[in-house]
Amino acid sequence: MERAIELALEGVGHNAGGPFGAVVVLDGEVIGEAHNEVLSKKDPTAHAEVGAIRAASRHLQSFHLSGAELYTSCEPCPMCLAAAQWARITRIWYAGTRADAARAGFDDDHFYSQLALPAAERQMPAEELLRTAAQPAFEAWLARPDRTVY
Amino acid sequence: MERAIELALEGVGHNAGGPFGAVVVLDGEVIGEAHNEVLSKKDPTAHAEVGAIRAASRHLQSFHLSGAELYTSCEPCPMCLAAAQWARITRIWYAGTRADAARAGFDDDHFYSQLALPAAERQMPAEELLRTAAQPAFEAWLARPDRTVY
């Protein structure tokens, strides 16, 4: 966790992005680390946890990180939490909280509240369109005998 | 939306990942598109919507895509929905639903259910550690007069 916080400070020092750092650890070894780079990369998805998970996936050459733990200097936003779920991270440790992030001007807590609402009540509308037209893609997937579920 | 579905079919054809495609549109122009590449890139975050948002951000050289709409061949998972929130996407259109994704073997619906639970009740434990030690990173951020909030 101390390394994750150190990365957060580094990122702020470089004006790379918000004050967030993250480290992925497997069997006591760091296999991926990153700080937030939203500003320097002009990429809204370049959060510390996403960066650390991507680095760890490159390191293991695997889209699954089962058994790995994620240390992050702040409670993950919903994007990063779900990224950890897809990566099958085993456990998350966080230092700052979503309340700390809110005090620093970040919307994590707001987005968690929005996600808990029915889609129709969210600020960002999401509507269904052409559902039937999408079914052949699902059928093509299910028809692949070599499909890998992840 | 037809382009998003076409991308989904392309991705399955290449065995790049699941049957998902996405397009970001601004003022009637496609500014970013992608299909899922989790398998081919061995990257658990390489969902179609994340790819399309990253491509659009590169195109505009901006971490905000205000005014843009996201067309995706399937309802976004929580990671992709929150990525769209961070990018300030104005509206989402989706074809398949999280139920369609579940039938194809994907955990989107499960992850939504998990996110709605208190952290202590989720399958993936997330615990606070060293909260005080993280505060200097937030303070360093707030002390930057040139900080850009995103």
Side-chain angles (χ1 to χ4, degrees), chain B:
Chain B
M1 183 62 86
E2 286 166 0
R3 177 61 183 148
I5 295 168
E6 187 177 65
L7 286 160
L9 282 161
E10 267 180 44
V12 175
H14 302 151
N15 210 11
F20 309 109
V23 172
V24 176
V25 174
L26 180 64
D27 298 334
E29 188 199 349
V30 171
I31 59 168
E33 60 175 40
H35 56 62
N36 185 293
E37 297 182 293
V38 167
L39 300 178
S40 56
K41 289 195 170 165
K42 299 186 175 71
D43 176 355
T45 73
H47 285 202
E49 300 94 325
V50 165
I53 288 169
R54 297 181 75 210
S57 298
R58 276 196 303 275
H59 180 78
L60 295 184
Q61 283 291 298
S62 169
F63 46 77
H64 280 168
L65 305 174
S66 314
E69 304 197 359
L70 174 66
Y71 290 80
T72 170
S73 70
C74 187
E75 189 179 354
C77 79
M79 176 178 73
C80 294
L81 180 60
Q85 288 175 315
W86 284 114
R88 313 297 167 178
I89 291 274
T90 296
R91 176 181 287 269
I92 296 176
W93 300 94
Y94 60 88
T97 66
R98 63 181 83 172
D100 294 330
R103 273 193 297 276
F106 296 96
D107 284 334
D108 307 56
D109 185 48
H110 173 61
F111 292 161
Y112 270 107
S113 305
Q114 287 283 309
L115 253 85
L117 295 174
E121 295 172 26
R122 290 187 201 130
Q123 284 177 356
M124 186 171 53
E127 285 179 61
E128 192 184 301
L129 177 72
L130 298 180
R131 180 177 178 186
T132 304
Q135 300 311 309
F138 293 104
E139 286 156 23
W141 167 257
L142 287 169
R144 274 198 86 104
D146 62 344
R147 76 181 176 279
T148 306
V149 177
Y150 53 83

